[in-house]
Amino acid sequence: MAKTVDPQLISGLREESERTKDDPYPAGTEGKRPNRSQVYSVRLSADEQARVQSVAEAKHLPASTLVRSWILERLDQESA
């Protein structure tokens, strides 16, 4: 599922990034990642990984989003 990005958009974003890279952050801005603070690494066999990827593609989701949703659903079940 390849997507094409407008070359003019890319060029404009690159130019803006270069022009503003040394600008200070706005007052009151904090530099932290929203929502996620811990990364878990999970080992899967090639077959298991392929199965996850297949389900993710069928749902038009990144595999990591699918796996995260499964974990969160299970945590909800466990706390019920």
Side-chain angles (χ1 to χ4, degrees):
M1 182 161 93
K3 295 183 180 178
T4 314
V5 180
D6 180 7
Q8 285 183 315
L9 176 61
I10 293 171
S11 177
L13 290 172
R14 187 173 289 126
E15 288 171 13
E16 180 182 4
S17 177
E18 282 299 313
R19 189 177 63 251
T20 61
K21 68 181 179 183
D22 295 323
D23 291 356
Y25 286 110
T29 303
E30 292 185 36
K32 59 183 175 179
R33 294 183 69 192
N35 302 326
R36 305 279 176 233
S37 60
Q38 180 67 43
V39 175
Y40 286 92
S41 178
V42 179
R43 293 184 191 275
L44 299 174
S45 69
D47 181 57
E48 292 165 336
Q49 190 276 333
R51 290 171 57 198
V52 169
Q53 189 64 42
S54 177
V55 173
E57 288 173 2
K59 294 179 180 279
H60 304 286
L61 293 171
S64 62
T65 300
L66 179 68
V67 171
R68 184 172 39 254
S69 73
W70 286 344
I71 292 170
L72 295 175
E73 285 174 13
R74 182 56 187 254
L75 287 172
D76 286 345
Q77 291 174 7
E78 292 292 327
S79 63

